[in-house]
Amino acid sequence: MGSNKNILVIGGGIVGLSTAYFLQKEGHRVTVLDKSDITSGASFVNAGYITPSHIIPLASPGMISKGIKYMFDSSSPFYIKPRLDMEFMKWSWYFKKSSTKSKVEKAMPVIMDINLLSRELFEDIKASGDLGDFHLERKGLLMMYQTDKERNHEMEVAKRAGDLGLEVSHLDANGLQKLEPNIELNALGAFHYECDRHTTPTQFMERMLGFLPKNGVAINKNEEVLDIVVNGDRVAEVKTSKGTYQPDEVVFAAGSWTSHLSKKLNIKLPLQAGKGYRINVADTTNISMPAILMEAKMAVTPMNGFTRFAGTMEFSGINNIIRKERVEAIAKGAEQFYKGLKISNEDKENAKCGLRPVTPDGLPYIGKSMEYKNLIFATGHAMMGWSLGPATGKLVSEIISGKTMSMEITSFAPERKF
């Protein structure tokens, strides 16, 4: 393989930037394009978790009936906006087909493996000093519950995680309060996944955007792909709002927008945008542990300089509309678990959202296109995009450089059958 290729990465989120990071280490010439100014979106508003513990794909048994129950309540944690849209209906059908016990069983170890690979790569990037001393903490993640129903549900997951070799322990209300001593909790207990880590995404993204251009990667912002020209089984040209590229290899890492790009090549990629919201609280909350509040279906992360409250999965197409009732539900959920916590109206007003690319089976699309030899997909990470960014970037760089893969990626085949 000629090592020095000219590569165009479309998408400047965590996956696109991680891809550029590992490709430049291999000596390739890389250009990253993004239609935004790379200051917002899913890579900036996520909960910052690196989560080997999230072994259950979103498409798991019972999710569809939950979705239908929640469908008409726009403040519910899992909201599907009712709409007659063929693509969405097809995706929903595939999602239903993927939500079987046996498919979920098969997906678990694969999801765990790619998460562990990514956790190691986050540690490597930190150790390399490339991005300076960015925030990466090893406190684990608490799955906090207020009811026996959620405890019993999580106990099953914890048992499976333990069987797969992940470190997890159970805390009663007392033990939990000891671990989070500076704020009074309203919870029965928690499962503590010591295997997990957390970061401050905005900081990591800024550092990455600082490092890459200094190391030869061109980052072209506010540039949109208009047309893709093919020649036989290759992508020959990418035309944008600012110019034309003739790359050796093209990587589609545009998150929820990847299905739009694929359409330009007549590739139907089943992918739906799952909107998530976040509220940042700069005032001291006294929260020191990352936690998922199970009944409220939301995440809490102490980050550098603020505490982040994040959550919801809203399927309403590609848009950045902030639904106030959903922001309200996140604030309320947090206040129900942490006594005395008050999230101000100003913090709620400043809520932001991001779109996560969700595949029907909860496994990402990572790999070569079947149609075009020089096209690679890197998207579809659903709620684990942050966690899986570095692993995806590394795997893409191995595909392009013809190196031995860090892990088996057949399960991630972009044009797999559902």
Side-chain angles (χ1 to χ4, degrees):
M1 305 287 289
S3 70
N4 211 329
K5 292 182 179 178
N6 184 6
I7 298 152
L8 183 63
V9 177
I10 303 172
I14 177 81
V15 173
L17 297 186
S18 297
T19 299
Y21 177 85
F22 288 107
L23 284 169
Q24 62 85 28
K25 295 262 181 228
E26 294 285 329
H28 300 291
R29 288 190 307 287
V30 189
T31 302
V32 177
L33 289 189
D34 199 283
K35 64 184 180 57
S36 77
D37 59 1
I38 321 188
T39 57
S40 62
S43 296
F44 289 85
V45 305
N46 65 82
Y49 294 158
I50 299 157
T51 47
S53 69
H54 282 31
I55 51 174
I56 309 271
L58 190 65
S60 56
M63 252 347 243
I64 288 283
S65 46
K66 264 186 206 157
I68 291 166
K69 185 181 91 191
Y70 287 147
M71 192 181 256
F72 301 100
D73 172 7
S74 63
S75 66
S76 73
F78 184 75
Y79 171 55
I80 298 172
K81 184 172 190 255
R83 60 190 190 279
L84 284 169
D85 162 346
M86 264 328 285
E87 275 177 35
F88 182 69
M89 290 164 99
K90 199 180 258 181
W91 179 92
S92 303
W93 169 241
Y94 293 151
F95 186 94
K96 185 176 167 36
K97 279 171 68 178
S98 303
S99 303
T100 64
K101 256 196 138 68
S102 67
K103 287 188 174 163
V104 167
E105 281 296 318
K106 265 173 70 176
M108 279 189 211
V110 184
I111 292 176
M112 184 185 75
D113 287 347
I114 188 171
N115 265 291
L116 289 172
L117 169 63
S118 216
R119 185 183 76 181
E120 191 185 325
L121 293 168
F122 267 109
E123 306 274 5
D124 288 353
I125 294 170
K126 177 145 177 154
S128 74
D130 285 347
L131 308 191
D133 185 25
F134 64 88
H135 176 218
L136 176 64
E137 266 189 283
R138 303 181 61 149
K139 287 184 171 175
L141 177 66
L142 294 170
M143 295 296 282
M144 252 196 302
Y145 58 85
Q146 294 175 323
T147 58
D148 290 341
K149 183 176 167 245
E150 288 295 342
R151 181 197 60 200
N152 297 341
H153 169 80
E154 193 57 34
M155 201 172 273
E156 297 284 301
V157 180
K159 194 184 166 326
R160 287 308 318 271
D163 292 345
L164 287 168
L166 296 172
E167 312 85 16
V168 55
S169 56
H170 181 249
L171 300 164
D172 60 10
N174 226 350
L176 175 59
Q177 194 63 73
K178 272 202 187 88
L179 200 58
E180 187 62 290
N182 299 320
I183 185 164
E184 203 184 333
L185 300 174
N186 177 24
L188 287 181
F191 290 86
H192 185 201
Y193 289 90
E194 291 121 62
C195 48
D196 290 11
R197 308 276 186 273
H198 73 284
T199 55
T200 301
T202 39
Q203 182 199 41
F204 187 87
M205 290 294 289
E206 280 159 15
R207 298 281 178 89
M208 203 50 121
L209 287 165
F211 172 82
L212 293 171
K214 285 197 191 99
N215 289 273
V217 174
I219 296 192
N220 300 350
K221 303 177 185 178
N222 303 308
E223 186 167 344
E224 190 165 0
V225 174
L226 303 178
D227 198 19
I228 299 173
V229 182
V230 297
N231 182 358
D233 61 0
R234 294 182 70 77
V235 172
E237 237 175 34
V238 176
K239 297 183 172 173
T240 72
S241 51
K242 294 184 178 175
T244 303
Y245 298 82
Q246 288 154 331
D248 298 323
E249 307 265 354
V250 180
V251 181
F252 279 4
S256 297
W257 287 268
T258 309
S259 50
H260 285 344
L261 285 175
S262 304
K263 265 191 208 132
K264 296 182 192 293
L265 297 168
N266 289 321
I267 295 173
K268 290 189 174 64
L269 199 67
L271 198 64
Q272 285 291 320
K275 189 189 293 174
Y277 294 78
R278 71 94 176 118
I279 303 169
N280 286 350
V281 175
D283 295 340
T284 310
T285 58
N286 291 325
I287 295 169
S288 68
M289 287 294 294
I292 289 188
L293 315 180
M294 295 195 64
E295 285 77 6
K297 305 260 181 294
M298 58 171 288
V300 181
T301 318
M303 294 187 179
N304 251 11
F306 54 92
T307 307
R308 175 165 288 179
F309 300 89
T312 83
M313 182 56 97
E314 170 186 325
F315 292 106
S316 61
I318 289 193
N319 64 71
N320 284 309
I321 299 161
I322 302 252
R323 291 173 196 268
K324 293 254 185 296
E325 66 276 22
R326 301 183 67 68
V327 175
E328 210 46 67
I330 291 173
K332 231 199 238 90
E335 289 166 0
Q336 277 162 1
F337 272 80
Y338 298 97
K339 292 183 186 164
L341 175 72
K342 270 291 330 125
I343 294 178
S344 72
N345 285 333
E346 190 189 348
D347 286 337
K348 286 187 264 194
E349 289 296 315
N350 291 326
K352 294 265 193 298
C353 68
L355 299 171
R356 320 178 188 87
V358 185
T359 63
D361 61 0
L363 292 171
Y365 294 132
I366 306 169
K368 272 188 184 266
S369 156
M370 274 158 58
E371 318 254 326
Y372 302 102
K373 280 193 162 65
N374 63 339
L375 172 63
I376 291 139
F377 290 93
T379 186
H381 299 82
M383 298 169 83
M384 293 182 289
W386 187 258
S387 191
L388 301 182
T392 304
K394 179 81 169 155
L395 292 166
V396 170
S397 80
E398 288 167 348
I399 293 169
I400 288 176
S401 302
K403 296 209 148 169
T404 309
M405 301 299 294
S406 292
M407 68 175 285
E408 169 60 59
I409 60 167
T410 327
S411 313
F412 308 142
E415 288 150 275
R416 58 185 178 267
K417 293 276 177 280
F418 293 107

